[in-house]
Amino acid sequence: MNGMDRPITLFQPRQLEIGAGASGKLGDWASDADRVLVIASAPTAGYVERLRLPGVVRVINNVPPEPDLPAFEAVLEVARAHRPDLVVGLGGGSVLDVAKLVAALWDGEQGLRAVAGPNKVAGRHTRLAQVPTTAGTGSEAGIRALITDPETKAKIAVESPHLLADIALLDPELTHSVPPAVTAATGIDAMAHCVEAFTNIRAHDLIDGYARLGIGLVGRYLARAVADGHDTEARAGMMLASYYGGLCLGPVNTAAGHALAYPLGTRLGLPHGLANAIIFPHVLAFNQPVRPEKTAEVAEALGLEGRGRPTRLLDAAHGFCQQLGVEMRLSAHGAERDALAGWAEEAHAIRRLMDNNPRDMSVTQVQEIYEAAL
């Protein structure tokens, strides 16, 4: 079965608030909470007052950009001591992922490794609110969470409807201070979620609709958000694009682009959005021969020229990202040619994503993409 006739399940947060000042509505929604745990990072902890939270509020402000298992377990220990009836994720995708897992696991016997994979989380008794402060991962919309395994440097992926937020609040004012380069990289990540789902072998007409909306919003608003961080309309447009990308991840998920990006995060320490921005043009062009019509839609929505051949598309998509201020050379981020073969093996082994790609990609071809991006 393909497209419309293939059964899928789409989960969404029970309540969504979007617009300037939307984060201030959380306090009313959570008015009966007694003990609140806010999971944040150092840059985002300053927004806690905007949430107007009731009860005894404990703030964790040191979640790292790419949290590993020890970092997650440290947050889990604080949660078990605080015993919250509401967990709030306040930050980028990594923070939101940690919040999901903490809300589901803090009061049970399951450890993170025990719930890795799909549908292994036993349940959740603690309410979960997600307040993103970047427009990229769309984690607030979805049922997946990723934590780095410090031993293998691979991602421990957990998928469960028990990780779904009770409420998500998309407040563009919380993204005003995001620097231009980060705005660009996270925005391209949001677009990559939509594009990879759109061109995926598991693509579905319902999800295609969200993907088209997300790609269109990126084409319309990303350059504006990068040029003027206080352009609230553009910031709101990108938060909605990110949310749509998060919806795409649930039933369809990403493909080779994200598989190739993960080693760049775990081995080079690149932020997730930046890693995906570097890889995006290469995989878009690689897949063009087997998804010509959908690729043409993507190119038109983003205003790309050179839609006829993969090489021209690659140059156009690379230029699109570069003009937004993204440093696209892996060498500029510390990558060395000798490491690329190992990264290629690692990326190729992420079958949960590579098997979704519309065009089979060998280890050699993965390495060739890394070399082209060097």
Side-chain angles (χ1 to χ4, degrees):
M1 289 184 289
N2 297 298
M4 189 80 75
D5 60 341
R6 183 171 63 83
I8 65 168
T9 301
L10 176 62
F11 294 99
Q12 296 193 52
R14 292 177 179 85
Q15 184 172 336
L16 175 67
E17 300 285 349
I18 180 170
S23 58
K25 296 182 179 181
L26 182 56
D28 290 337
W29 179 87
S31 60
D32 58 341
D34 293 322
R35 304 182 68 80
V36 181
L37 178 67
V38 179
I39 298 174
S41 61
T44 66
Y47 294 130
V48 172
E49 292 299 321
R50 290 178 178 238
L51 307 182
R52 303 173 185 170
L53 293 167
V56 179
V57 179
R58 175 72 187 269
V59 179
I60 296 174
N61 63 1
N62 59 354
V63 175
E66 297 289 335
D68 59 10
L69 189 54
F72 167 73
E73 289 176 340
V75 177
L76 196 63
E77 184 177 347
V78 174
R80 286 171 172 158
H82 188 60
R83 304 186 63 81
D85 50 24
L86 171 64
V87 171
V88 179
L90 177 64
S94 295
V95 167
L96 303 187
D97 280 5
V98 169
K100 291 178 185 179
L101 293 166
V102 167
L105 301 179
W106 78 264
D107 58 348
E109 301 298 323
Q110 292 181 299
L112 184 63
R113 293 189 190 278
V115 299
N119 299 316
K120 295 182 181 178
V121 177
R124 192 184 85 222
H125 306 104
T126 305
R127 287 184 296 173
L128 174 64
Q130 297 282 46
V131 188
T133 60
T134 61
T137 68
S139 181
E140 70 280 356
I143 61 172
R144 287 191 178 92
L146 302 174
I147 300 292
T148 300
D149 186 330
E151 297 176 6
T152 64
K153 300 300 182 183
K155 296 288 186 179
I156 302 171
V158 181
E159 178 183 343
S160 170
H162 296 302
L163 302 186
L164 192 66
D166 295 294
I167 185 170
L169 303 103
L170 312 184
D171 186 345
E173 292 180 345
L174 302 188
T175 68
H176 281 176
S177 62
V178 178
V182 178
T183 299
T186 54
I188 295 168
D189 183 29
M191 176 180 64
H193 292 162
C194 295
V195 171
E196 289 179 50
F198 189 53
T199 57
N200 203 300
I201 65 168
R202 299 170 61 202
H204 190 281
D205 297 82
L206 171 64
I207 302 306
D208 281 357
Y210 289 117
R212 286 186 174 99
L213 289 170
I215 297 165
L217 287 166
V218 170
R220 193 179 318 153
Y221 288 119
L222 180 53
R224 278 177 53 179
V226 170
D228 179 4
H230 286 79
D231 183 337
T232 304
E233 180 186 0
R235 291 291 196 179
M238 286 309 303
M239 294 201 88
L240 189 54
S242 178
Y243 181 82
Y244 286 147
L247 294 182
C248 291
L249 296 182
V252 176
N253 208 359
T254 54
H258 271 64
L260 269 66
Y262 281 138
L264 307 185
T266 55
R267 299 297 178 178
L268 273 184
L270 294 189
H272 178 70
L274 176 58
N276 274 288
I278 293 170
I279 293 299
F280 169 74
H282 300 274
V283 175
L284 180 70
F286 180 86
N287 288 335
Q288 184 187 25
V290 297
R291 290 291 187 271
E293 293 180 359
K294 284 191 168 183
T295 302
E297 280 193 60
V298 173
E300 183 175 0
L302 299 179
L304 304 182
E305 298 178 357
R307 287 176 257 168
R309 296 195 305 273
T311 51
R312 292 177 59 195
L313 178 66
L314 173 60
D315 290 341
H318 187 280
F320 173 86
C321 298
Q322 194 170 47
Q323 287 171 12
L324 291 169
V326 179
E327 174 51 74
M328 298 292 285
R329 294 172 301 149
L330 282 175
S331 58
H333 300 289
E336 297 181 356
R337 191 174 298 276
D338 291 346
L340 301 184
W343 295 355
E345 294 277 359
E346 204 171 299
H348 189 263
I350 306 176
R351 301 318 305 176
R352 66 183 179 86
L353 300 182
M354 293 296 284
D355 287 344
N356 294 337
N357 207 59
R359 181 183 174 193
D360 186 58
M361 187 181 292
S362 68
V363 175
T364 299
Q365 288 169 320
V366 176
Q367 185 172 343
E368 287 173 351
I369 287 177
Y370 285 147
E371 289 174 350
L374 190 63

